[in-house]
Amino acid sequence: MTHSHDNAPGPRQAKPALLITGGTGFIGSHTAVVLLESGYSLVLVDSLINSTREVGARIAQLADLEPWGDHLWRHASGSPWLALLQGDVRSARDLDRAFSLMPNRIAGVIHLAGLKSVGESSDEPLNYWDANVSGSITLLRAMEKHDCKTLVFSSSAAVYGETQEVPISESAPLRPTNPYARTKAAIEQILQDLAASRKGWRISILRYFNPIGAHPSGMIGEHPRMPPTNLFPVLCQVANGSRERVEVFGDDWPTPDGSGVRDYLHVLDLADGHALAIRALLEGNAQLTQLNLGTGRGWSVLDLIACLEKISGRAIPAVIAPRRAGDVAVSVADPSRAQAVLGWKARRGLEEMCRDGWAWFSSSHGCSHD
Ligand SMILES: NC(=O)c1ccc[n+]([C@@H]2O[C@H](COP(=O)([O-])OP(=O)(O)OC[C@H]3O[C@@H](n4cnc5c(N)ncnc54)[C@H](O)[C@@H]3O)[C@@H](O)[C@H]2O)c1
């Protein structure tokens, strides 16, 4: 279905209640703000292994909600409301509590909870298969039990792995190159099998490219507890002086400046994509759709460094290191299916991503975990 609107969430009107796993994480917190602003009530379930409880209050504040109880907030008019539950997606009991926490039926789930460090996944593969795959199976069983069969799942461009296609469309072969990416591809397979069982599941698999940036308020952002490995947080740490330099993995790629090219997108554009995806599912029939969420435009590592240097006014020393196994020269989305199906298009440019991301990492909230 094609919608004629742009990404704007529209006026706040009462909408159904949704559950977001991993709801206090980087992408979850931004998605929660966007969904609350467009009227959905939310239960956030998060184990807090990579985020903090305080994020709940900040989401509430950004969405203009008032405290209403223990980890519970609501708008002055009574709706929407927000509940935060500390729980693990591998626990059927925690999920039962989440589905029954509020009197409203949960109409759909946005499943973001999981572990996401590519490097760590090679060292601790069992943790990744357990959190990502076992966690997803436990969640899907809980959804069946509570008669909720509408799901937006956060997959990753990492599932394409060594695919050489540029730009990458959803029909490109999946060639994941590390345990993290293989867990995402495995969950996608499970979801395909579930859709084929013809029990009325409505599923949207979103393959994110490289989300960066933050809410412009500087109140929520990426909050890694472990030392970050993604490029943007590393660059911010170099810019704020908590890390000496950044390693650029390869300067001999077949790209204009020799460094790797990636499709960076603003986390708020990604959040808008989730809002449109869940709405399309709630209004649609049984389906399984895979959608790339990216800008369709590539930026090199050196472009990103130059942009952040300009925005922050700080020097970001870089050293060239050997290429890493499994990396590709260029990974850029063909986002045309998301535009055709959802009417979604990334609107924010690289400078805005760097400005908002830097505002977060240089704020007291953002650097509290350095
Ligand atoms: N950030 C990226 O670059 C990126 C790219 C592609 C895909 N993704 C996927 O998007 C999702 C969200 O990523 P993010 O960047 O917001 O990460 P994040 O770590 O900030 O958020 C994930 C949240 O899930 C929680 N969590 C982890 N294991 C859990 C469990 N077993 N039960 C309940 N909660 C648990 C963490 O505490 C955290 O708050 C992940 O599934 C990730 O793989 C992220």
Side-chain angles (χ1 to χ4, degrees):
M1 183 181 12
T2 304
H3 297 283
S4 56
H5 58 78
D6 63 10
N7 295 342
R12 194 186 306 227
Q13 34 181 266
K15 293 203 175 81
L18 305 174
L19 188 141
I20 307 185
T21 72
T24 47
F26 173 44
I27 298 167
S29 55
H30 291 83
T31 301
V33 170
V34 167
L35 287 169
L36 289 164
E37 281 173 348
S38 64
Y40 293 96
S41 290
L42 302 177
V43 176
L44 310 184
V45 183
D46 201 299
S47 66
L48 306 177
I49 191 175
N50 201 33
S51 56
T52 61
R53 216 176 264 289
E54 293 72 55
V55 177
R58 291 196 218 128
I59 294 169
Q61 198 183 330
L62 286 171
D64 198 21
L65 309 187
E66 296 164 357
W68 183 34
D70 194 22
H71 297 104
L72 209 52
W73 300 264
R74 70 173 169 179
H75 190 257
S77 64
S79 173
W81 48 258
L82 169 69
L84 169 59
L85 179 75
Q86 181 170 5
D88 198 302
V89 287
R90 290 165 295 183
S91 158
R93 239 183 69 201
D94 288 355
L95 292 173
D96 270 344
R97 274 177 59 214
F99 275 98
S100 335
L101 194 67
M102 302 296 287
N104 309 56
R105 198 182 147 262
I106 299 287
V109 174
I110 299 183
H111 178 33
L112 301 151
L115 301 179
K116 65 165 182 174
S117 163
V118 168
E120 189 188 52
S121 76
S122 295
D123 298 334
E124 303 290 346
L126 290 179
N127 288 350
Y128 275 70
W129 282 89
D130 187 35
N132 295 359
V133 179
S134 304
S136 295
I137 293 173
T138 309
L139 173 68
L140 292 164
R141 283 197 192 284
M143 290 177 69
E144 269 195 332
K145 177 174 170 188
H146 292 274
D147 196 25
C148 172
K149 293 182 181 168
T150 301
L151 173 74
V152 173
F153 171 63
S154 69
S155 187
S156 168
V159 296
Y160 296 118
E162 279 173 339
T163 297
Q164 300 290 335
E165 207 174 273
V166 179
I168 304 177
S169 71
E170 290 82 354
S171 56
L174 304 193
R175 298 200 179 116
T177 59
N178 54 69
Y180 164 72
R182 281 191 282 275
T183 65
K184 291 290 182 188
I187 300 162
E188 288 203 15
Q189 186 62 63
I190 293 169
L191 295 177
Q192 276 189 35
D193 291 345
L194 204 52
S197 70
R198 293 203 208 88
K199 289 189 182 134
W201 283 84
R202 296 182 285 197
I203 300 172
S204 192
I205 293 175
L206 304 182
R207 295 180 182 149
Y208 316 152
F209 278 65
N210 296 76
I212 61 171
H215 193 277
S217 63
M219 284 175 61
I220 54 173
E222 191 166 3
H223 208 268
R225 274 199 180 156
M226 294 152 241
T229 48
N230 281 355
L231 181 62
F232 189 75
V234 168
L235 295 184
C236 288
Q237 288 197 335
V238 179
N240 75 17
S242 57
R243 189 189 278 243
E244 225 170 284
R245 64 176 85 86
V246 56
E247 285 184 307
V248 177
F249 298 107
D251 65 348
D252 54 355
W253 295 102
T255 61
D257 65 22
S259 66
V261 167
R262 296 292 178 268
D263 185 334
Y264 298 99
L265 83 156
H266 197 295
V267 64
L268 278 176
D269 280 328
L270 190 59
D272 288 341
H274 289 75
L276 293 172
I278 195 79
R279 185 170 101 178
L281 291 181
L282 291 170
E283 289 173 355
N285 298 323
Q287 59 186 282
L288 173 91
T289 321
Q290 295 93 347
L291 298 171
N292 285 340
L293 295 185
T295 62
R297 157 129 212 219
W299 298 96
S300 73
V301 176
L302 300 183
D303 289 332
L304 188 61
I305 293 177
C307 186
L308 188 61
E309 283 188 321
K310 182 174 136 199
I311 297 286
S312 66
R314 311 275 178 92
I316 302 180
V319 289
I320 306 300
R323 291 183 181 187
R324 287 178 304 189
D327 270 356
V328 288
V330 179
S331 170
V332 172
D334 170 357
S336 54
R337 193 192 277 178
Q339 179 157 21
V341 174
L342 304 177
W344 178 87
K345 195 172 184 325
R347 292 178 297 164
R348 298 161 176 93
L350 194 69
E351 290 214 356
E352 197 170 347
M353 299 178 213
C354 287
R355 191 195 65 209
D356 294 341
W358 175 244
W360 159 254
F361 277 99
S362 51
S363 76
S364 54
H365 301 309
C367 61
S368 57
H369 50 76
D370 283 342

